[in-house]
Amino acid sequence: MGSLEGKHIVLGITGGIAAYKSAVLLRLLIKRGAEVQVVMTPSAKEFITPVTLSALSGKPVVSEFFTANTGEWHSHVDLGLWADLMIVAPATASTLGKMANGIADNMLVTTYLSAKEHVMVAPAMDLDMYASPSTRRNLATLAADGVEIIEAAEGELASHLVGKGRMAEPEEIVERAERFFSRRQDMVGMKVAITVGPTYEKIDPVRFIGNYSSGKMGFALAEECVSRGAEVIAVTGPVAAYPSDSRINIVKVESALEMNEEALKAFRTADIGIFAAAVADYRPETYSDHKIKREGKDEMIIRLVKNPDISSNVSEEKKEGSILVGFALETDDALDNAHKKLEKKNLDMIVLNSLEDKGAGFRTDTNKVTVIARDGFKKAFPLKYKREVAADIVDIILEQQKKIKIK
Ligand code: CTP
């Protein structure tokens, strides 16, 4: 049986030179047993004919909202419901922009907007277009919306310039599709608890001590786990944006003390606990219930007292067989310090991100991490979107969990 046997895949093809590779991609998907419906944008037909694609897929290609001579209406809603996966390859800058902004002026984008399941895009364009702020912004928006980005590769482009912008090879795209289906429901029956975001430590009714954590990495992990079938509870400090997936149970807190209390409850029954929050290590010793006035004060001293270490507290009450994962953000002797934290906090794994890496850490859509585990495991990943980083981290958690169970 093929690895994609019985899977319904919508293959969206847009107008770029790389569209010729879509025929190979289509063949590979079909060979692995998938049922594929091709949806083309009008301009894609300038690059590859619908005849080739319908012959390969064994289905008429859909491109317009209706067939001109018969008036037959093509329902993008039905297609969106039918698809277990939608792959847009190649995805031009223009289609990415339309997808990111909901400009539904063709069958491909309307199908995307109706797609209920996972969507992947494999961009292809010239290097300057690929690097342009607008494309970067659209890709970041799509990634935040849960779309999987199969980054373009380096190489010679249609313009004969050499750089990043070549569509990923069909084999790689097929591999991603296989990976998506194989791990799609590998967390059914598992309970995951995650701490997310910053904590705010009140000074007076209008002021607090906080940090730049956006909660994006924690929520990417929550979304990844929930999409793989886990039951997820996220104990979340104040953030600007919450995930749209209503399957994630969110418990809102503000201070480290509140987070500690809620985390202790949430993590008690969890099979997997992840500490992704940037907890303030200290809080003001006293809270003024009146706004502190500046009159008559040349300086201001706020005495801080230590907050509880949530990860250590939780690990003391660790459920048998559960796995606890911390994050560490280090500026010096990163690996050494991460190993020390693993021991001190009695965790099973640490995800290390360094602030020195551009695009990694706070307030970004991307992250570059190294994961270490108690048994000496260590793996460094390149810079990726946070959702992809989340998938990598979850893969390792599940591997580690198996090892713990075997012991
Ligand atoms: N953490 C926690 N409670 C705290 C502080 C940290 O649960 N009060 C968790 C974080 O969520 C993270 C891990 O511990 O998963 C490491 O956080 P980090 O700030 O790097 O470590 P600290 O223990 O605060 O050490 P330091 O700031 O001195 O490096």
Side-chain angles (χ1 to χ4, degrees):
M1 219 166 88
S3 55
L4 298 173
E5 201 66 48
K7 304 295 183 214
H8 293 173
I9 299 177
V10 165
L11 175 60
I13 303 178
T14 73
I17 306 283
Y20 76 91
K21 288 195 201 167
S22 305
V24 180
L25 172 60
L26 172 57
R27 245 194 109 230
L28 291 174
L29 294 170
I30 299 271
K31 266 176 89 173
R32 282 164 175 71
E35 201 180 321
V36 185
Q37 173 63 60
V38 174
V39 180
M40 302 175 87
T41 59
S43 68
K45 291 190 224 161
E46 310 276 344
F47 294 87
I48 183 165
T49 75
V51 179
T52 307
L53 299 165
S54 73
L56 287 171
S57 66
K59 282 182 195 293
V61 165
V62 175
S63 178
E64 315 298 333
F65 291 109
F66 57 90
T67 309
N69 54 355
T70 62
E72 187 197 349
W73 170 254
H74 304 296
S75 167
H76 53 87
V77 178
D78 287 350
L79 260 184
L81 286 173
W82 174 83
D84 300 315
L85 171 67
M86 179 173 183
I87 305 173
V88 184
T92 55
S94 152
T95 292
L96 291 172
K98 287 181 185 179
M99 287 170 72
N101 294 288
I103 301 171
D105 65 351
N106 63 40
M107 193 63 190
L108 190 150
V109 182
T110 48
T111 304
Y112 161 66
L113 294 178
S114 309
K116 291 275 172 291
E117 292 292 340
H118 195 57
V119 180
M120 297 177 177
V121 293
M125 65 198 77
D126 219 35
L127 72 162
D128 296 327
M129 290 173 79
Y130 197 54
S132 84
S134 141
T135 302
R136 293 287 107 202
R137 203 166 47 237
N138 289 330
L139 284 173
T141 303
L142 289 171
D145 290 344
V147 172
E148 183 174 340
I149 317 288
I150 307 177
E151 284 279 0
E154 300 259 348
E156 191 179 344
L157 304 168
S159 60
H160 301 300
L161 293 169
V162 175
K164 206 169 175 189
R166 270 171 75 98
M167 185 176 93
E169 291 306 321
E171 289 76 10
E172 189 195 331
I173 300 173
V174 171
E175 215 181 286
R176 294 280 238 169
E178 287 173 334
R179 201 151 71 121
F180 162 68
F181 285 115
S182 71
R183 73 179 173 200
R184 195 153 70 135
Q185 290 301 311
D186 55 1
M187 295 181 82
V188 173
M190 290 184 198
K191 277 191 176 175
V192 180
I194 312 183
T195 63
V196 184
T199 63
Y200 283 4
E201 309 300 327
K202 280 186 184 152
I203 299 170
D204 69 14
V206 292
R207 303 182 182 93
F208 60 86
I209 296 173
N211 61 64
Y212 289 131
S213 169
S214 61
K216 283 181 178 171
M217 193 62 240
F219 285 143
L221 281 159
E223 281 171 341
E224 179 66 19
C225 294
V226 100
S227 75
R228 290 164 80 157
E231 191 183 312
V232 179
I233 181 160
V235 181
T236 311
V239 290
Y242 293 92
S244 54
D245 196 322
S246 58
R247 291 172 296 178
I248 300 169
N249 300 304
I250 293 178
V251 178
K252 292 183 188 176
V253 295
E254 192 170 299
S255 65
L257 286 176
E258 286 165 17
M259 188 177 271
N260 186 57
E261 199 182 316
E262 292 300 330
L264 281 171
K265 283 189 237 162
F267 282 63
R268 197 165 289 146
T269 54
D271 304 296
I272 296 168
I274 307 173
F275 303 97
V279 185
D281 290 329
Y282 298 89
R283 66 178 182 276
E285 185 176 37
T286 53
Y287 167 72
S288 157
D289 49 12
H290 301 283
K291 184 181 170 208
I292 301 170
K293 304 295 282 178
R294 80 180 140 136
E295 223 174 82
K297 295 191 192 83
D298 286 336
E299 60 173 20
M300 164 106 183
I301 293 167
I302 300 174
R303 224 182 123 75
L304 302 176
V305 292
K306 214 165 187 181
N307 268 330
D309 187 314
I310 302 174
S311 53
S312 300
N313 287 348
V314 166
S315 76
E316 271 174 30
E317 296 187 12
K318 191 173 169 217
K319 177 181 151 187
E320 177 104 30
S322 69
I323 189 155
L324 295 180
V325 184
F327 272 75
L329 199 133
E330 305 287 344
T331 48
D332 314 291
D333 304 325
L335 267 175
D336 231 29
N337 279 326
H339 275 289
K340 281 184 194 143
K341 272 184 193 164
L342 199 70
E343 288 300 326
K344 203 175 81 190
K345 293 170 188 264
N346 193 23
L347 301 173
D348 301 287
M349 270 171 63
I350 285 229
V351 181
L352 174 69
N353 38 20
S354 152
L355 266 184
E356 285 154 41
D357 290 311
K358 202 168 165 269
F362 282 170
R363 287 196 294 186
T364 60
D365 292 308
T366 49
N367 208 359
K368 190 173 163 196
V369 303
T370 300
V371 182
I372 59 165
R374 221 156 233 280
D375 62 354
F377 173 94
K378 179 185 155 210
K379 188 163 179 181
F381 292 94
L383 191 71
K384 294 183 177 199
Y385 286 101
K386 284 184 173 169
R387 183 60 193 266
E388 294 178 86
V389 176
D392 291 335
I393 294 172
V394 171
D395 284 345
I396 299 175
I397 294 177
L398 297 184
E399 281 165 28
Q400 289 290 325
Q401 200 185 34
K402 272 188 209 141
K403 285 190 206 163
I404 289 177
K405 283 202 178 128
I406 290 167
K407 265 193 230 159

